[in-house]
Amino acid sequence: MRKDTYSKSAQNNKMIEKKIVGYSDALSVRPKDKISFMISCDPEIKFINSRFVKLIQGDTNPEGPGFKEKVVEYDVKKYKAINQKIYSGSYIYIPLKKEIKLLKDFTFMAFIMPTLNNKKNQSIVTSGNYPNNSFDLLINKNFCLELNLENKRLVSLKNKFVKKNWYLIGFTFLKENNRIDLFQFPINHENTSYEIRTKTQIRKIFKLSKNIGIASSVIKNKQGIIKNFNNFNGKIDNPKFFAKHVSHSTISYIAKNPGLNLKLKKIIYWDFAKHISSDKIIDKGPHKLDGYTVNFPARAMKGVLWDGEEFNWKHKPSHYSAIHFHDDDIYDAKWKKTFDWIVPEGIKSGLYCAHVYDNNNNEDYIPFTIIPSKRSKKNKILFLVPTASYIAYANDHNAINGQNYEMLMGRLTVLQKEDIFLDKHREFGLSTYDTHSDGSGVCYSSRLRPILNMRPKYSSSNGGVGSGLWQFNADTHIIDWLEHKNYEYDTITDEDLEKEGIDIIKDYKVILTSSHPEYHSTKCWDSINKYQSMGGNLMYLGGNGWYWRIVWDKKFPGIIEVRRAEGGVRSWEAEAGEYYHSFNGEYGGLWRRLGRAPNKLLGIGFSGQGFDVSSYYRRTKQSYLKEVEFIFDNVEDEILGDFGLVGGGAAGLELDRYDQNLGSPKNCYILATSENHSDLYLGVTEEIGVNMPNQSGSQNPNVKADLVYFKKNSGSKNFATGSIAWSGSLSFNNYNNNISKITSNVLNNFIK
């Protein structure tokens, strides 16, 4: 559960506000194609300017080379600033073509599991255009069931819900005396009694009009824009309307036998077990009131029938017919477009930004990648931009809400204005490292919203002492090094690799990874493996790579899913029975536990982490062998990387080591190994069988980074650094250092 820990004085301090924020409709684009930008500004800002820059170095640390950009194009046109809101919260929207009046006996019922008492109204099912709902079955501010009719309370119960327990809830209507019975029956839990309350002589007509919302009240304006209010937090399982007044005894019997198939005529029956891998909601009743989910509530969730016999939802969908809704889910901010950019023909591939600003030093940099045209001549070098990892960390709240965070970091947390802004504006969405407001883990994350920690100039709290760079901005150290050394290179994203597969990478001599390529889909894993089998060379310039399996949605762009199944370093874990991805049914978790440890691709795999200071490598005897002498050409030092912008050394943050038991090739050369890590560095949790007091850096021999080189039978040459901090050492001493020299020696050899 999150805690809002920033002070009121900080909330009221306008200096911390990000007054201009935006996002693009894509993170990669080809020359001659269009990319669109959506911008929101504080109301006090009237106009904004824009320009497009090639991003070279995003690190503002004065100890480093400094922020670097190259202007590509100014947009002389001023744009009218508008303030745009995000309506977060997931729900189901059912459009109605005509009004349906419920003039005879009927019953509505659903199984629900409330997960948050937020002392607000939480709509379960509504009809109408909020606030003018024809009816609204909701959990009220007292955490009790309530039925409203035409915006007035009709009847409410006194029994409060118990969080994370299943209930059969609903209401029945008996035309004979215009009677409503509102009911709530607990499912398989003690110390909670059922409750039924009756209201007679109801003079108003129940009707389904304009819109139906499940897990929210909705409004559709004249422009066709749908907004949501009073979001429900919890699971809902197969809501339905029967064309009959169901007796109290029958309701009680259903509560005791949730799997009972009533032989009653259904007016509406939304079957959530159908089309789990989509946004579709199917009505199996005569009216065919189909709908769709909005903002990606979690699907493939255990329903009221789940009994632990089957863990794969594809094998028994009826046991996974629940949908888990959250008031802080978000997929697409759906802001109005501010401007487009047609990418100039002939522009170089690389990292770029739309720089949006006003005349008072308010600004936002919105990054994207320009990838080569399909028919253009490719460079020999490809930098693979890890957008899945950026999206996984998008807008993480670790700095403020991370459990025992300062203890983990070993220092006081320095908050950036982006951190405080995101804590205040929860509607901007969460990362897969956060938990929802009800405490459940975030398994979906999208790029179609402003991502304020995916920016140049941003310093992350878990990026180590010094520059504090993590993910996107840390990767600009590699881009800066390539530019300084005058290497010609291309960039693509792993989202492009997911779409196009091996064809988009097969022609490159060498692929350079980022500093932290942690999240990969099966197709991306297979494509890199295929690339190596075709003789392609790989330079893994980071740590903790190929760690978690993720899935990209096939229909909706820019959203990933991660199920944190058994094992792994994680801020939350998936509940038992919810390990299989909803997008495609693949089992989630660590690639290591899926039989594809990163060691098989990279030669090394995740072994330990620490976030205070970085250390150095010491060369091994193998590094002096003739077979690898090209790597150390003009490098006489035994100690490597005892310097750097990220933690003060090249071996830091997250570390990978060689291990034949996990698939590291026998023909690997271990060139150097890091040492002297602090006791805040700890071994990874997946290697702890029995907890022991010797897990820290000074005692655990597995807490280390191994620098390795190996060749595959295909001729593929592979080099791996095993450290996130490696790239932060490249620019030391005006790029004249042993880390920079080793990297260029390897790259020069790989592109021959």
Side-chain angles (χ1 to χ4, degrees):
M1 293 284 248
R2 70 174 184 240
K3 294 182 179 179
D4 295 325
T5 54
Y6 60 92
S7 67
K8 289 185 178 179
S9 60
Q11 291 184 53
N12 296 328
N13 185 352
K14 291 186 177 180
M15 294 299 291
I16 68 172
E17 284 289 335
K18 283 280 295 179
K19 295 187 176 183
I20 302 176
V21 291
Y23 65 99
S24 58
D25 65 345
L27 287 184
S28 65
V29 63
R30 285 187 164 98
K32 299 175 67 175
D33 289 343
K34 179 175 70 175
I35 183 170
S36 300
F37 298 88
M38 285 59 68
I39 314 297
S40 178
C41 305
D42 269 14
E44 65 189 55
I45 298 175
K46 303 304 179 184
F47 294 94
I48 54 173
N49 307 290
S50 71
R51 61 178 189 153
F52 293 91
V53 300
K54 184 176 184 182
L55 180 62
I56 298 171
Q57 169 67 273
D59 189 358
T60 58
N61 187 342
E63 299 298 318
F67 181 77
K68 297 180 185 178
E69 62 181 16
K70 181 180 179 181
V71 178
V72 175
E73 181 178 311
Y74 276 102
D75 192 337
V76 296
K77 180 181 178 182
K78 287 183 178 293
Y79 295 95
K80 184 178 180 180
I82 56 175
N83 182 254
Q84 310 203 59
K85 297 185 181 301
I86 296 176
Y87 289 86
S88 60
S90 57
Y91 59 97
I92 293 170
Y93 180 71
I94 312 288
L96 290 182
K97 295 180 180 179
K98 63 179 181 179
E99 183 175 272
I100 302 173
K101 292 184 178 180
L102 303 173
L103 300 175
K104 300 179 180 180
D105 296 356
F106 71 88
T107 299
F108 171 82
M109 66 173 60
F111 294 100
I112 70 167
M113 178 194 283
T115 54
L116 177 66
N117 182 1
N118 58 7
K119 297 179 172 56
K120 298 177 182 178
N121 288 340
Q122 301 182 58
S123 294
I124 298 167
V125 61
T126 70
S127 181
N129 232 12
Y130 178 85
N132 299 314
N133 290 329
S134 59
F135 74 88
D136 187 353
L137 179 65
L138 68 143
I139 297 175
N140 63 24
K141 296 177 182 179
N142 297 321
F143 210 45
C144 299
L145 191 65
E146 179 174 308
L147 178 62
N148 290 346
L149 187 59
E150 294 185 4
N151 306 316
K152 293 183 180 180
R153 185 177 66 180
L154 186 65
V155 59
S156 61
L157 303 184
K158 293 183 178 180
N159 280 356
K160 291 189 176 183
F161 287 100
V162 176
K163 291 187 297 182
K164 298 186 178 181
N165 283 307
W166 281 105
Y167 292 85
L168 175 65
I169 58 94
F171 59 97
T172 70
F173 177 72
L174 186 62
K175 180 63 178 175
E176 181 180 346
N177 56 1
N178 289 334
R179 189 182 88 191
I180 283 287
D181 295 328
L182 181 66
F183 59 86
Q184 170 188 324
F185 281 77
I187 307 295
N188 297 328
H189 55 99
E190 299 177 358
N191 304 320
T192 304
S193 59
Y194 74 89
E195 184 178 3
I196 301 174
R197 294 199 71 189
T198 298
K199 188 89 172 180
T200 58
Q201 301 302 315
I202 307 299
R203 299 185 180 276
K204 296 177 181 178
I205 297 174
F206 273 89
K207 58 186 177 181
L208 304 174
S209 61
K210 294 186 178 179
N211 315 288
I212 297 175
I214 298 175
S216 176
S217 288
V218 296
I219 182 173
K220 186 175 183 180
N221 63 22
K222 294 180 180 179
Q223 290 75 39
I225 298 172
I226 302 168
K227 299 177 182 179
N228 56 294
F229 306 88
N230 301 334
N231 288 94
F232 171 74
N233 290 274
K235 292 181 178 181
I236 299 178
D237 196 340
N238 289 342
K240 56 185 75 71
F241 283 88
F242 294 108
K244 183 180 179 180
H245 168 78
V246 180
S247 68
H248 297 177
S249 60
T250 302
I251 294 170
S252 177
Y253 188 71
I254 296 170
K256 294 174 183 176
N257 302 275
L260 183 68
N261 184 18
L262 287 179
K263 304 274 186 201
L264 296 175
K265 181 180 178 181
K266 299 178 181 71
I267 305 172
I268 305 170
Y269 175 24
W270 291 297
D271 187 353
F272 293 172
K274 301 293 184 183
H275 302 288
I276 285 176
S277 293
S278 75
D279 65 330
K280 294 179 181 178
I281 298 296
I282 301 301
D283 172 22
K284 295 168 70 174
H287 296 289
K288 302 298 180 185
L289 298 183
D290 300 339
Y292 54 90
T293 62
V294 179
N295 282 334
F296 277 82
R299 303 195 72 171
M301 294 282 111
K302 294 178 296 184
V304 70
L305 297 181
W306 189 80
D307 57 10
E309 288 187 2
E310 181 56 63
F311 274 53
N312 187 337
W313 62 264
K314 281 196 167 185
H315 295 164
K316 213 164 191 177
S318 62
H319 282 209
Y320 289 87
S321 55
I323 299 178
H324 195 155
F325 301 90
H326 308 91
D327 60 10
D328 48 16
D329 283 325
I330 182 68
Y331 166 58
D332 188 344
K334 293 186 177 180
W335 284 355
K336 292 180 180 178
K337 182 175 64 177
T338 306
F339 57 86
D340 296 318
W341 190 46
I342 305 297
V343 179
E345 187 175 8
I347 194 170
K348 283 189 174 183
S349 180
L351 295 186
Y352 289 80
C353 290
H355 180 212
V356 187
Y357 57 97
D358 68 1
N359 295 327
N360 294 311
N361 298 318
N362 296 303
E363 65 177 3
D364 194 17
Y365 280 85
I366 305 169
F368 59 96
T369 298
I370 294 180
I371 68 176
S373 299
K374 288 186 176 182
R375 296 182 179 179
S376 65
K377 183 180 179 181
K378 307 298 189 293
N379 287 304
K380 294 181 179 180
I381 301 168
L382 175 67
F383 180 73
L384 183 59
V385 182
T387 47
S389 294
Y390 299 163
I391 294 169
Y393 282 92
N395 291 346
D396 78 72
H397 294 75
N398 288 331
I400 288 179
N401 300 132
Q403 186 177 12
N404 299 322
Y405 197 65
E406 291 183 339
M407 186 182 297
L408 180 67
M409 297 298 111
R411 62 186 186 278
L412 293 174
T413 301
V414 178
L415 299 178
Q416 307 298 310
K417 63 182 179 181
E418 291 87 353
D419 301 323
I420 301 172
F421 178 88
L422 288 171
D423 195 46
K424 184 177 178 181
H425 294 279
R426 293 278 170 166
E427 70 275 13
F428 278 62
L430 307 171
S431 76
T432 64
Y433 284 79
D434 294 311
T435 53
H436 289 290
S437 55
D438 68 357
S440 59
V442 179
C443 62
Y444 305 130
S445 184
S446 160
R447 59 169 169 76
L448 292 174
R449 54 187 170 123
I451 301 176
L452 300 188
N453 60 351
M454 194 182 79
R455 295 291 190 264
K457 303 184 180 181
Y458 176 73
S459 180
S460 173
S461 57
N462 58 334
V465 173
S467 291
L469 299 199
W470 187 259
Q471 293 296 130
F472 174 80
N473 209 14
D475 293 340
T476 67
H477 281 152
I478 300 173
I479 296 298
D480 173 56
W481 179 82
L482 289 168
E483 293 280 343
H484 181 84
K485 294 289 186 178
N486 295 316
Y487 286 110
E488 295 292 331
Y489 64 94
D490 293 334
T491 58
I492 68 161
T493 72
D494 50 5
E495 189 172 1
D496 299 312
L497 185 56
E498 173 70 15
K499 293 175 184 175
E500 301 185 27
I502 186 66
D503 287 344
I504 199 171
I505 60 175
K506 66 181 181 181
D507 295 327
Y508 291 97
K509 292 284 290 184
V510 60
I511 294 176
L512 273 60
T513 78
S514 65
S515 62
H516 190 195
E518 184 176 1
Y519 292 83
H520 287 278
S521 68
T522 301
K523 188 171 182 179
C524 289
W525 203 104
D526 289 344
S527 295
I528 294 297
N529 188 47
K530 179 68 173 176
Y531 170 80
Q532 291 174 313
S533 72
M534 296 168 64
N537 303 320
L538 182 67
M539 293 180 66
Y540 170 43
L541 300 181
N544 187 214
W546 277 262
Y547 191 59
W548 292 103
R549 170 189 258 172
I550 60 98
V551 179
W552 296 89
D553 190 84
K554 291 183 178 180
K555 178 181 177 182
F556 293 90
I559 187 167
I560 64 167
E561 179 182 15
V562 57
R563 295 290 175 110
R564 299 192 187 279
E566 302 158 271
V569 178
R570 53 202 170 153
S571 54
W572 60 270
E573 60 183 40
E575 288 192 17
E578 296 178 352
Y579 297 160
Y580 286 82
H581 292 99
S582 65
F583 287 175
N584 65 358
E586 286 185 337
Y587 190 77
L590 301 184
W591 278 113
R592 171 174 173 168
R593 290 194 180 270
L594 296 166
R596 298 190 185 194
N599 307 62
K600 295 182 178 181
L601 279 183
L602 312 171
I604 52 179
F606 192 26
S607 61
Q609 64 177 17
F611 302 96
D612 54 348
V613 294
S614 301
S615 192
Y616 56 85
Y617 298 80
R618 185 182 296 275
R619 289 179 63 174
T620 65
K621 290 182 180 179
Q622 284 191 325
S623 72
Y624 295 96
L625 295 175
K626 184 177 181 180
E627 293 85 347
V628 294
E629 63 182 3
F630 73 92
I631 298 174
F632 295 95
D633 187 29
N634 292 322
V635 176
E636 302 295 333
D637 308 315
E638 180 184 1
I639 301 298
L640 308 174
D642 54 342
F643 48 82
L645 297 172
V646 177
L653 301 186
E654 292 181 337
L655 313 173
D656 296 6
R657 78 169 195 279
Y658 177 86
D659 190 336
Q660 280 191 30
N661 292 327
L662 293 173
S664 297
K666 291 183 180 180
N667 64 333
C668 247
Y669 294 91
I670 301 176
L671 307 171
T673 296
S674 69
E675 61 185 30
N676 199 29
H677 291 288
S678 79
D679 283 333
L680 284 177
Y681 276 75
L682 300 170
V684 293
T685 57
E686 58 267 27
E687 295 187 340
I688 299 175
V690 177
N691 228 337
M692 300 291 285
N694 62 341
Q695 297 298 320
S696 61
S698 64
Q699 303 174 68
N700 187 344
N702 287 337
V703 176
K704 62 180 178 179
D706 285 330
L707 190 72
V708 303
Y709 167 77
F710 65 96
K711 291 180 71 174
K712 292 197 168 187
N713 291 336
S714 63
S716 168
K717 292 182 282 189
N718 296 269
F719 173 78
T721 67
S723 164
I724 288 178
W726 178 274
S727 60
S729 300
L730 291 170
S731 65
F732 178 76
N733 191 34
N734 195 30
Y735 308 86
N736 183 20
N737 61 76
N738 50 43
I739 297 299
S740 176
K741 187 61 180 174
I742 288 170
T743 308
S744 60
N745 286 342
V746 173
L747 183 54
N748 290 339
N749 179 273
F750 282 17
I751 61 177
K752 287 181 180 177

